[in-house]
Amino acid sequence: MAQTPKRPTPEDEVFMKSLADFAHRELATDRRSPFASDVVETSTGKLVMRRLNGVRIENDPSSHAEVRVMRAACKKLKTTSLKGHTLYTTCEPCPMCMAMALWAGIDRVVFGSTISDASRHCAQIYVPAKTLQRKSDMDCEVVGPVLRRECVALFEDPRMLSAMALWKKSRGGKPAKPARRASGS
């Protein structure tokens, strides 16, 4: 049975705008990244934690913004469950990040740009977050894209384009594959 597509709330747009603005400000630092994430208490809208991608700085390929923010939120709250919380992220979560959101019991995942948007600038795994959620037995509402244009602009900022070019060069100069649809989406 087909599910009704989830629509963003006005609050989702406010939280995403704040997150995109944060990521944009950070483009002026050595921590620049188009990938930023928040964990927010779903019922109150209280920001619990905010993080940027830390892959380059931490020399850790698993240090995605979503993983970092959920780890930090769990540590702060002294729990392994983020039930009652929403994950906001400037880019659709990759399979690793979406799996962590599901394992952590996140209520909702709200994303800005899509995997296809990101694939124009860096390598991606083409499994949409909504597909991964549907293939699990865990409840999690996936909403997006929200403020896609603002989140795509993070990738297209000249400071980020230069960083992505260096990243591609470090990976053997291979260009990102053209966007394609995952089967089953």
Side-chain angles (χ1 to χ4, degrees), residues 4-65:
T4 306
K6 307 297 185 207
R7 297 191 183 272
T9 66
E11 293 82 12
D12 290 339
E13 292 185 3
V14 170
F15 287 120
M16 189 62 71
K17 172 96 172 84
S18 173
L19 186 59
D21 288 348
F22 163 73
H24 186 262
R25 286 190 307 275
E26 292 298 313
L27 292 179
T29 73
D30 64 347
R31 302 178 330 152
R32 67 180 168 264
S33 174
F35 304 102
S37 295
D38 284 344
V39 168
V40 172
E41 194 172 279
T42 303
S43 64
T44 66
K46 178 184 173 194
L47 177 65
V48 175
M49 196 60 61
R50 172 173 278 176
R51 290 288 186 267
L52 288 169
N53 179 302
V55 169
R56 184 177 49 85
I57 290 171
E58 296 174 7
N59 295 311
D60 180 351
S62 72
S63 231
H64 292 198

Side-chain angles (χ1 to χ4, degrees), residues 58-76:
E58 296 174 7
N59 295 311
D60 180 351
S62 72
S63 231
H64 292 198
E66 300 93 335
V67 169
R68 294 181 80 229
V69 78
M70 287 185 281
R71 283 180 181 158
C74 286
K75 190 172 192 171
K76 178 181 180 178

